[in-house]
Amino acid sequence: MGAWKRLGGLIGSHMAFISPACVVLGVLFPQIGVLKPLVVPLFAFMTFQSALSNTFDNLVRTLRHPIPMLMSLLLVTVVMPATACVLATALFGASPNLVCGIVLEYCVPVAVVSAMWTNMLGGDPALSLATILVSTVAAPFTIPLALHVLLGQTVEVDAARMMGEMVVSIALPALLGTLANDLTHGRAARELSPVIAPAAKLALVTVILTNSTGVAPYVRNLTPTFVAVAAFIGAFAACGYAAGLLVARALRLPNDKVASMTYLVGMRNISAGAVLAGEYFPGEVMFPVVIGTLFQQVLAAGFGSLLRRLRRRGAGEKGDAEP
């Protein structure tokens, strides 16, 4: 069991390198795509495992001081998708599928792994977990609505089917995991979650590998437009982290909430976006979604260093101000 848990820890601590490697392997070996039927159940399992560390008490505590969560959700579900749509349409309007992929990338819920990064940076776990829960459970409604409002005239979206499958693969597993932890008074988080966490990380690797095969034809035949889309995704992803950080500091929030908002706004559940792109849209839509995997973890590490420097600077200025 010790070796099994160490394997999970090894995968989790090296995701900044593993995620891009999975994309490369998926492109080089597209035959891995035969695993595609496993993607949705694997994703449901990952969502359930991640929710085992959450409680409904986290939601209640956060709702008592809701501004950080509401601002995070506003940025994630409204500001970022709308801004992505405007910019993508201006830059890549001649390729509606690429615009759709860019918008889909920023309609998906907050990444569960953002909780890991906020914990490492001394963030507010209640704020992070509560925001992830709300974002995940709301996703079956917010994603079809955002795609319809932003792209309804350009891309046909089967909103009813998408909503039904997302309820099964995202919302229900998130609620079941949280409920299991509450009903067992935390034992699910302490005992079950660590045991199945390595399997969830292996599932994540499998999902990234499998979804990456969908972009193989486009990566192997890169055009200036695809290169420009990749550059846009990298730059806009950095803007997401920066937006969370700047808004939190503008609200004069304490350091723990600044760290949480930075990752809540910056990190997206790319696996969910890739699953949706593969299920409901033409192959070209997958490219902007999956290419985000190349940047997300690397940017998370970079903004972690920035947060540490800002915290040290703040501590130094406070110390200088003391008589």
Side-chain angles (χ1 to χ4, degrees):
M1 184 60 69
W4 174 244
K5 292 182 179 180
R6 284 194 297 274
L7 173 63
L10 181 68
I11 296 172
S13 62
H14 291 83
M15 281 307 295
F17 307 100
I18 291 174
S19 293
C22 286
V23 175
V24 172
L25 289 173
V27 170
L28 293 176
F29 303 101
Q31 57 269 31
I32 297 172
V34 298
L35 299 175
K36 188 176 179 180
L38 298 177
V39 167
V40 172
L42 285 175
F43 190 78
F45 169 68
M46 289 158 47
T47 305
F48 172 78
Q49 186 277 326
S50 64
L52 287 173
S53 60
N54 204 358
T55 67
F56 290 111
D57 284 342
N58 285 329
L59 181 60
V60 172
R61 287 199 301 273
T62 302
L63 287 176
R64 291 175 184 152
H65 305 282
I67 297 300
M69 183 174 74
L70 292 177
M71 287 304 301
S72 297
L73 291 172
L74 177 65
L75 289 168
V76 167
T77 59
V78 178
V79 176
M80 293 291 287
T83 305
C85 183
V86 171
L87 294 177
T89 301
L91 294 171
F92 311 109
S95 303
N97 286 333
L98 292 177
V99 174
C100 178
I102 292 170
V103 175
L104 178 60
E105 168 84 349
Y106 293 99
C107 286
V108 295
V110 177
V112 174
V113 74
S114 63
M116 178 192 76
W117 281 100
T118 55
N119 288 341
M120 289 193 299
L121 271 298
D124 181 340
L127 170 61
S128 297
L129 292 170
T131 306
I132 290 168
L133 177 63
V134 173
S135 176
T136 301
V137 172
F141 309 98
T142 58
I143 293 177
L145 178 61
L147 291 176
H148 177 73
V149 170
L150 297 173
L151 301 172
Q153 301 302 314
T154 306
V155 178
E156 183 177 348
V157 178
D158 187 349
R161 181 184 166 209
M162 181 185 294
M163 188 178 297
E165 292 196 3
M166 287 187 68
V167 166
V168 173
S169 64
I170 297 180
L172 283 180
L175 289 173
L176 288 174
T178 305
L179 183 62
N181 193 32
D182 270 348
L183 292 178
T184 59
H185 304 289
R187 287 186 62 191
R190 294 191 304 270
E191 300 175 14
L192 177 59
S193 182
V195 172
I196 65 175
K201 291 183 172 65
L202 288 172
L204 175 60
V205 170
T206 303
V207 168
I208 296 173
L209 273 170
T210 305
N211 288 332
S212 299
T213 64
V215 301
Y218 307 104
V219 175
R220 290 180 173 184
N221 300 280
L222 278 177
T223 65
T225 299
F226 286 133
V227 173
V229 168
F232 174 85
I233 290 292
F236 199 70
C239 290
Y241 290 92
L245 172 61
L246 292 174
V247 170
R249 287 173 67 88
L251 292 172
R252 299 184 180 277
L253 298 176
N255 286 331
D256 60 342
K257 290 181 171 56
V258 171
S260 290
M261 281 193 64
T262 300
Y263 288 105
L264 289 170
V265 179
M267 304 197 79
R268 295 307 182 94
N269 197 328
I270 294 176
S271 296
V275 170
L276 293 174
E279 287 287 324
Y280 297 100
F281 299 102
E284 198 176 33
V285 174
M286 181 82 77
F287 180 82
V289 177
V290 172
I291 211 70
T293 308
L294 295 175
F295 306 107
Q296 182 157 272
Q297 298 293 332
V298 175
L299 286 169
F303 273 86
S305 298
L306 175 60
L307 285 167
R308 291 186 183 97
R309 287 199 299 272
L310 291 173
R311 191 169 294 179
R312 286 196 297 268
R313 183 185 302 172
E317 290 175 353
K318 183 178 179 181
D320 292 340
E322 292 177 355

